[in-house]
Amino acid sequence: MTDTAVRYIYILSAALFVFSLKWMRSPTTARRGCFAGAVGMLLAIVGTLMRPEVVDYKLIAAAFVIGTVAGVPLAYLMPMTAVPQRTALSHAFGALAAALVGTAEFYRETPHGAVMVALVFETLLGFLTFTGSMMAFGKLQEILPQRPITYRNQNVINLTILGLAVASGVWLIARPEQAWIFPIFIALALVFGVLLIVPIGGADMPTVIALLNSYAGLSAAAMGFALGNRLLIIAGSLDGSSGFILSVVMCRAMNRSFTNVLFGAFGQVQTKAGCAEEQRAVHSATAEDAAQILDAARSVIVVPGYGLAVAQAQHKLRELYDVLTRRGVNVKFAIHPVAGRMPGHMNVLLAEADIPYDHLFEMDDINSEFAQADVALVIGANDVTNPAARTDKSSPIYGMPILDVDKAHTVMVIKRSLNPGFAGIDNPLYYLDKTLMLFGDAKAFVTDLVKELAEVAKAA
Ligand code: NAP
């Protein structure tokens, strides 16, 4: 009876996971998607706790308390701008859990055959994802240097360590009773996870996080095979494949070759480019000047970026949108797939301020419209607008598709200084004759713009 109930709960849970992914594809249904995923997970936990193999709840209760004590502050204390780091930590914990379960199973059961293959796969991916994700967390949190660290023969050293880890895994599959190899196998996987992330920096990080997500999912799916748990196989495969698809999408958005990312962007060195440009003059303007230009415009394309999130200026931006649309200006929002610090960052931010979804446009859909736009208003975005990506072969972001902001009649950029963005490179956009730099914090400047526009409206 319990077995049948668990089976039905698992089916319901698996269906909710699938619907959750489907609903998360659109901003209009994303909340429902998150809710469905959470309910699916709750059902999965309840179903698992009902399984007849679970005979004692004491240790489970202790793990539940520890998990809650760590998870609740993670959810509430980390700001929105730190979500990538938080995601990296979640992957690290998920992968560590899978790897520890695999380790426990190895010492408890010493499995053979297909189960041992799944267990080796689970522990290898689990441990390397754990250290890799901790490294990604350290880099994004700026505890570790963000720049790629490279050294001679890095490819060879890394691939040798991976090769040794795989070889010891194969050995364990062939001779599971030789348990002394297991700690060596674990150590190699842990070291490889660190080395995988060391040479990666700047613009590659989002893709790497998506890839680590995929690894953690695949590790969980392998754990499902090792434990004979179908729901784990389904959930892990969904996680693994969606992470993989996301990393392919991110690769395309950043023009990274997938092989390059798969092998940890080995040997990629990102240098500061265009330092000479820092000496060049820019045109700056006040909120009053900018308000006059915006008021005279008929079409404005807003380009939000990471600085908008840092300044938490989304609600003020909504006010600006309202003022401009009331004055008959056609306002659209251009969303670059890697703007901000996580996939979908800008969509989430603008949704928080109730900016209508149908005014948000993906890069490919809006790029052709910049040439007709009176104003491109860039708010806290930098790398995703950098024309060097189109023209400068020496630039680390050369080939990355960008928003064609420089094609608008007038470009206005709100940021605090001429400092570079995430990729650490200068932006030639700022030195164009048509570009006006609006120096200041995004929230403060947009607030001033709204005030100035109200003055203009009063005077009219
Ligand atoms: P960006 O290139 O990082 O530039 C953000 C700009 O915002 C900075 O130049 C900064 O200039 C400005 N800024 C910071 N705080 C501000 C504030 N309070 N008010 C006004 N401006 C502020 O951002 P982006 O154009 O959105 O590009 C995203 C970058 O992050 C890409 O390189 C991407 O590869 C990378 N990345 C993306 C993800 C993802 O999944 N989306 C994840 C990790 C990394 P000032 O200091 O002069 O103000």
Side-chain angles (χ1 to χ4, degrees), residues 249-265:
V249 171
M250 301 300 283
C251 269
R252 289 211 187 115
M254 304 176 82
N255 197 35
R256 310 291 315 173
S257 90
F258 193 66
T259 330
N260 183 282
V261 172
L262 252 188
F263 290 95

Side-chain angles (χ1 to χ4, degrees), residues 66-120:
I66 296 170
T68 309
V69 167
V72 171
L74 265 185
Y76 286 101
L77 297 184
M78 287 185 90
M80 183 77 177
T81 44
V83 166
Q85 293 91 302
R86 212 193 69 191
T87 313
L89 266 189
S90 308
H91 296 163
F93 291 150
L96 180 65
L100 289 179
V101 169
T103 308
E105 278 298 294
F106 176 78
Y107 286 111
R108 214 170 58 93
E109 299 275 343
T110 320
H112 286 74
V115 177
M116 190 60 197
V117 174
L119 193 142
V120 162

Side-chain angles (χ1 to χ4, degrees), residues 153-458:
N153 296 329
Q154 199 162 18
N155 281 357
V156 178
I157 294 169
N158 289 358
L159 286 174
T160 306
I161 289 172
L162 178 63
L164 286 173
V166 172
S168 50
V170 172
W171 189 341
L172 280 167
I173 292 166
R175 312 284 297 275
E177 59 289 344
Q178 299 211 343
W180 61 271
I181 301 171
F182 202 72
I184 300 172
F185 168 66
I186 292 176
L188 287 167
L190 289 170
V191 170
F192 180 71
V194 174
L195 297 181
L196 182 75
I197 305 301
V198 162
I200 304 173
D204 281 346
M205 206 43 95
T207 325
V208 169
I209 290 179
L211 205 58
L212 289 169
N213 178 12
S214 169
Y215 291 169
L218 291 177
S219 173
M223 174 162 71
F225 281 109
L227 297 180
N229 184 316
R230 291 197 184 104
L231 187 60
L232 260 178
I233 299 173
I234 297 172
S237 314
L238 287 174
D239 193 12
S241 50
S242 55
F244 183 77
I245 292 169
L246 182 60
S247 55
V248 173
V249 171
M250 301 300 283
C251 269
R252 289 211 187 115
M254 304 176 82
N255 197 35
R256 310 291 315 173
S257 90
F258 193 66
T259 330
N260 183 282
V261 172
L262 252 188
F263 290 95
F266 293 154
Q268 286 288 316
V269 186
Q270 296 188 341
T271 50
K272 284 208 168 207
C275 290
E277 305 236 52
E278 274 160 28
Q279 307 304 322
R280 287 161 51 185
V282 296
H283 307 284
S284 65
T286 62
E288 198 182 340
D289 305 330
Q292 300 280 357
I293 297 172
L294 284 174
D295 189 62
R298 297 281 50 97
S299 63
V300 173
I301 301 179
V302 178
V303 177
Y306 176 63
L308 183 84
V310 177
Q312 285 292 292
Q314 65 274 28
H315 297 287
K316 283 291 157 198
L317 179 58
R318 166 74 211 224
E319 286 178 32
L320 181 66
Y321 164 81
D322 287 340
V323 178
L324 288 172
T325 40
R326 269 202 302 273
R327 295 193 61 72
V329 183
N330 180 11
V331 185
K332 292 182 175 176
F333 295 83
I335 309 295
H336 191 284
V338 295
R341 290 292 182 271
M342 60 176 176
H345 200 169
M346 293 302 117
N347 302 68
V348 174
L349 207 63
L350 299 184
E352 224 183 290
D354 282 330
I355 289 177
Y357 303 131
D358 55 352
H359 285 240
L360 270 56
F361 295 87
E362 301 288 328
M363 176 172 65
D364 292 339
D365 298 327
I366 194 120
N367 258 351
S368 59
E369 295 192 30
F370 277 103
Q372 290 88 49
D374 294 320
V375 178
L377 177 61
V378 179
I379 309 182
N382 188 342
D383 296 342
V384 300
T385 64
N386 194 332
R390 283 200 304 257
T391 52
D392 180 0
K393 286 197 173 155
S394 68
S395 170
I397 60 164
Y398 178 70
M400 168 173 146
I402 55 151
L403 289 163
D404 291 337
V405 169
D406 56 329
K407 297 195 174 150
H409 292 278
T410 303
V411 183
M412 298 203 279
V413 181
I414 303 179
K415 71 197 292 288
R416 297 162 306 175
S417 64
L418 285 177
N419 284 345
F422 193 80
I425 52 170
D426 197 22
N427 191 339
L429 177 74
Y430 306 152
Y431 309 100
L432 299 180
D433 277 343
K434 61 164 84 170
T435 303
L436 288 176
M437 297 302 294
L438 310 177
F439 289 118
D441 169 74
K443 190 172 180 179
F445 208 103
V446 175
T447 308
D448 289 349
L449 266 181
V450 173
K451 275 192 209 137
E452 292 297 339
L453 276 163
E455 294 295 321
V456 175
K458 243 190 259 164

